[in-house]
Amino acid sequence: MNKQEQLSIIDNSTTYEVDKTQNKDHVATPRWVVENIYDLIDIKSFKMIWFPFNNYDSHFKLKADELNLQYKATHIFDNLGNDFFTTLPPKDCDLLISNPPFSQQNEIIKRSFELVELGLIKSFCLLLPLSTLETPKRAEIYEKYIDKLNILIFKKRIKFLGKATSFNTACCWVCYNIDSLKQKIIWI
Ligand SMILES: C[S@@+](CC[C@H](N)C(=O)[O-])C[C@H]1O[C@@H](n2cnc3c(N)ncnc32)[C@H](O)[C@@H]1O
């Protein structure tokens, strides 16, 4: 690694530590939420997983390490500055799973279905605000893929890591093409 590359890693990790404390979109997922969804979707049945909004400290990644899963974790502030919208999934990716920045949800939902259409991912699970089910624009997209869609609704609000209780958004998982999910709507 040359000096330029070393400096870039230091720059990005500093930016990440600052961003975590300031960015309203940085909402870290607690371990129980990760363990719960991994059980529900039978995470071990997936051969190559992509965590596109996950840096070194994400529980999605840490739990995947414990389970010896095959995965690639990328994040806008990792050493390559991996932007979800321009980064390609790992080869033979059969699952994208993450808690994405809610403020960009429309573009992220669109891009996730685009990756499915391109054959670059087989399935996905996105943790989103419950209000993702609203709006004509999003409804039109979800209706198009309704056959393989499952919605998992949290009965209780999630207390996200490092957030004051004032961040108190109702959430759900929007899952596409997950074999283990047998009902369209599931309360968890
Ligand atoms: C809701 S947080 C989730 C963090 C982590 N996935 C977790 O669940 O603990 C979303 C993260 O995505 C990052 N992010 C924002 N835009 C991004 C992009 N275009 N590509 C990749 N990561 C992005 C934010 O900096 C933020 O840390």
Side-chain angles (χ1 to χ4, degrees):
M1 191 186 299
N2 65 33
K3 190 138 193 162
Q4 194 65 40
E5 286 167 333
Q6 281 171 356
L7 284 174
S8 147
I9 289 175
I10 292 165
D11 267 6
N12 278 343
S13 61
T14 310
T15 317
Y16 178 60
E17 300 314 321
V18 173
D19 186 74
K20 281 204 296 192
T21 62
Q22 294 176 357
N23 184 351
K24 284 207 179 83
D25 262 349
H26 185 86
V27 177
T29 312
R31 175 164 281 247
W32 75 265
V33 172
V34 172
E35 291 181 341
N36 175 249
I37 191 70
Y38 280 10
D39 280 349
L40 289 166
I41 66 173
D42 186 15
I43 194 78
K44 287 189 172 169
S45 65
F46 296 93
K47 303 280 175 275
M48 178 49 84
I49 303 164
W50 184 28
F51 306 116
F53 301 98
N54 300 72
N55 217 330
Y56 66 89
D57 54 351
S58 146
H59 282 293
F60 287 97
K61 180 187 171 327
L62 297 171
K63 184 71 192 177
D65 285 333
E66 283 172 28
L67 296 173
N68 277 323
L69 303 176
Q70 284 263 87
Y71 71 85
K72 182 175 177 187
T74 57
H75 186 276
I76 193 89
F77 296 131
D78 64 19
N79 55 349
L80 296 173
N82 274 304
D83 183 337
F84 170 67
F85 297 102
T86 49
T87 302
L88 288 179
K91 196 172 172 304
D92 300 325
C93 177
D94 51 0
L95 177 70
L96 175 171
I97 181 167
S98 202
N99 167 8
F102 291 177
S103 70
Q104 299 176 55
Q105 62 167 309
N106 285 7
E107 297 75 25
I108 289 166
I109 293 160
K110 226 174 111 203
R111 178 66 180 157
S112 300
F113 282 116
E114 200 173 276
L115 292 171
V116 167
E117 294 289 356
L118 290 167
L120 295 173
I121 59 172
K122 216 176 116 229
S123 58
F124 65 78
C125 299
L126 292 173
L127 179 60
L128 291 167
L130 192 52
S131 56
T132 193
L133 305 176
E134 298 177 336
T135 83
K137 202 187 223 169
R138 291 194 290 265
E140 193 184 331
I141 303 177
Y142 291 143
E143 278 175 338
K144 185 170 169 203
Y145 294 96
I146 189 78
D147 282 359
K148 294 185 177 176
L149 217 55
N150 306 87
I151 306 296
L152 277 50
I153 302 172
F154 285 87
K155 292 177 195 167
K156 290 185 181 173
R157 302 283 165 103
I158 301 169
K159 186 170 176 341
F160 287 96
L161 303 179
K163 287 284 150 191
T165 41
S166 55
F167 185 90
N168 195 16
T169 309
C171 290
C172 65
W173 283 103
V174 172
C175 301
Y176 179 77
N177 198 21
I178 303 288
D179 287 343
S180 66
L181 301 175
K182 303 297 179 205
Q183 290 160 258
K184 285 270 153 227
I185 300 184
I186 302 172
W187 279 267
I188 56 175

